[in-house]
Amino acid sequence: MSVHVEKASVEQVSINVPAARVTSKRRKASPGWRIWYNFKQNKRGFYCLWIFSVLFILSLGAEFWSNDKPVLVVYEDSYYFPIFKAYPETVFGGDFETETDFSDPYMIEILTTNGNRIITALNPHSYDSINLETDTPNPAPPSAENLLGTDDRGRDVLARLIYGFRISVIFAFVLMIIGTVIGIIAGALQGYLGGRFDLFAQRAIEVWSSMPELYLLIIFASIFQPSILLLIILLSLFGWMGLADYVRAEFLRGRNMDFIKAARATGVSNRAIIFSHLLPNSLTPVITFLPFRISGAILALTSLDFLGLGVPPDTPSLGELLAQGKGNIDAWWLSISTFLVLVGTLVLLIFIGEAVREATDPRRN
């Protein structure tokens, strides 16, 4: 009788288990969930990911936070958005057909009286707007009008830092994606095919990696007009080889495992074996190196801009601000503010990378 009661109790407990708990257990069995769970256990890396994500998302809307054009203009009960569209002065009762200068005292008076309103950005300066009203020569020190001062052309440093941070991170993401895709494809083909293909491919990579990358950048910078697209193309030609070696090693190790031999014996195609079996089990080094590849790309862009081999001169850049700080030793605000933004970004990415490395450790999964 007691045995019967125990069985009934077990059955009753199994019936009352919530479906959400069963689903949670299934999710915990997946490698992706376990990696994410392990990553969240590293509080420093998890909070750094949140901070970096928030800063990057805010920088995507830099035009709303730092702009010399109003975010919203309410004129005669009509709404205008100058950050999206250029309006001539005649729209607001001005005299000229040219684009409205919202820093003109005459236009400010029109747009702030008789019920009209202007909603400006938190920092009323864009990366290319020049402050002509400073009492001191440029570069001017921090003031109430320019919180982090101006550069040698009178442009607001805070605005150039915000826009420069956005360009650096987007550039790093694009370069990381291209390099990762090429590295995975090259490493997967080498590791899976092996033999002569792997031998010749390795020799070709060794020859290509011995090319002087900096000299090539200098040569192309002297031939072509500097641009972000040119930098992405040139750096992508060299940025995939290190990752390809790790993927190749994982494929060389995995192709001789029993489950791969069984898949071949059952007639599974090479494509299915590569993408469905080998590649998911070879992504650990790829995921681990992603934050470090992003930080390396940011540092590479900053270094090239510092040397004058990066983006065009008018483009907001952290490296260009550092170069200005070097050329104007008395303008300490240029070097210090840029240094803090650059080092802060790299530290966040390093902490994220360390957390990812620990989360993908096979001993924890």
Side-chain angles (χ1 to χ4, degrees), residues 125-163:
H125 304 284
S126 185
Y127 68 90
D128 57 351
S129 57
I130 299 177
N131 186 3
L132 302 176
E133 304 296 331
T134 56
D135 298 329
T136 57
N138 295 315
S143 62
E145 187 173 359
N146 300 100
L147 298 179
L148 294 181
T150 62
D151 64 1
D152 57 3
R153 301 182 188 178
R155 299 171 298 190
D156 185 69
V157 173
L158 177 58
R160 293 188 70 80
L161 285 176
I162 295 174
Y163 285 88

Side-chain angles (χ1 to χ4, degrees), residues 2 202 341 360:
S2 60
Q202 278 297 103
V341 171
T360 55

Side-chain angles (χ1 to χ4, degrees), residues 28-300:
K28 288 183 179 180
S30 64
W33 191 94
R34 290 199 302 270
I35 292 175
W36 175 245
Y37 177 80
N38 293 335
F39 178 82
K40 290 194 298 183
Q41 299 309 304
N42 190 318
K43 299 301 182 182
R44 183 180 65 183
F46 183 67
Y47 292 145
C48 286
L49 176 62
W50 270 104
I51 295 173
F52 179 79
S53 301
V54 169
L55 292 177
F56 176 60
I57 292 173
L58 290 177
S59 71
L60 293 178
E63 287 78 8
F64 294 94
W65 316 118
S66 182
N67 206 324
D68 54 356
K69 297 179 181 179
V71 177
L72 174 65
V73 174
V74 181
Y75 178 72
E76 295 182 351
D77 296 330
S78 298
Y79 296 91
Y80 302 89
F81 301 92
I83 62 174
F84 297 116
K85 182 180 178 180
Y87 298 99
E89 286 188 5
T90 53
V91 173
F92 306 112
D95 300 323
F96 304 102
E97 292 289 343
T98 56
E99 183 179 353
T100 304
D101 181 9
F102 293 97
S103 62
D104 185 357
Y106 174 70
M107 295 304 304
I108 293 177
E109 183 181 358
I110 292 177
L111 296 175
T112 55
T113 56
N114 300 325
N116 302 322
R117 298 193 306 276
I118 297 179
I119 299 178
T120 60
L122 295 177
N123 183 41
H125 304 284
S126 185
Y127 68 90
D128 57 351
S129 57
I130 299 177
N131 186 3
L132 302 176
E133 304 296 331
T134 56
D135 298 329
T136 57
N138 295 315
S143 62
E145 187 173 359
N146 300 100
L147 298 179
L148 294 181
T150 62
D151 64 1
D152 57 3
R153 301 182 188 178
R155 299 171 298 190
D156 185 69
V157 173
L158 177 58
R160 293 188 70 80
L161 285 176
I162 295 174
Y163 285 88
F165 171 80
R166 179 174 69 177
I167 289 177
S168 298
V169 176
I170 293 177
F171 174 87
F173 273 123
V174 173
L175 192 62
M176 179 267 294
I177 292 172
I178 295 175
T180 300
V181 171
I182 297 176
I184 289 176
I185 294 175
L189 292 177
Q190 285 183 256
Y192 185 75
L193 298 178
R196 293 184 176 180
F197 179 84
D198 181 35
L199 180 63
F200 286 115
Q202 278 297 103
R203 301 293 81 76
I205 290 176
E206 290 174 3
V207 172
W208 183 246
S209 62
S210 64
M211 298 287 289
E213 183 178 355
L214 181 59
Y215 289 155
L216 290 178
L217 289 171
I218 295 174
I219 293 172
F220 280 99
S222 62
I223 297 176
F224 301 100
Q225 184 177 2
S227 66
I228 296 179
L229 179 60
L230 179 62
L231 277 180
I232 291 176
I233 294 174
L234 292 177
L235 294 179
S236 297
L237 295 177
F238 297 92
W240 57 271
M241 289 177 285
L243 185 62
D245 291 337
Y246 288 98
V247 177
R248 170 180 172 269
E250 292 291 327
F251 269 72
L252 286 173
R253 181 177 62 87
R255 69 173 186 168
N256 295 320
M257 291 185 174
D258 293 337
F259 73 96
I260 298 298
K261 295 179 180 179
R264 288 199 190 99
T266 55
V268 179
S269 64
N270 291 332
R271 181 178 179 180
I273 291 175
I274 291 175
F275 289 100
S276 300
H277 299 285
L278 282 175
L279 185 58
N281 292 283
S282 304
L283 289 180
T284 298
V286 176
I287 298 174
T288 302
F289 282 108
L290 288 183
F292 299 105
R293 292 179 66 85
I294 294 174
S295 61
I298 293 175
L299 196 57

Side-chain angles (χ1 to χ4, degrees), residues 322-365:
L322 287 176
Q324 287 194 34
K326 178 178 177 294
N328 301 274
I329 299 179
D330 293 337
W332 51 268
W333 55 91
L334 289 172
S335 300
I336 292 180
S337 59
T338 309
F339 174 80
L340 292 176
V341 171
L342 180 61
V343 172
T345 303
L346 296 180
V347 168
L348 290 175
L349 290 171
I350 289 173
F351 286 159
I352 294 171
E354 289 294 331
V356 171
R357 181 183 60 81
E358 294 179 4
T360 55
D361 190 343
R363 292 173 294 182
R364 299 189 60 183
N365 296 301

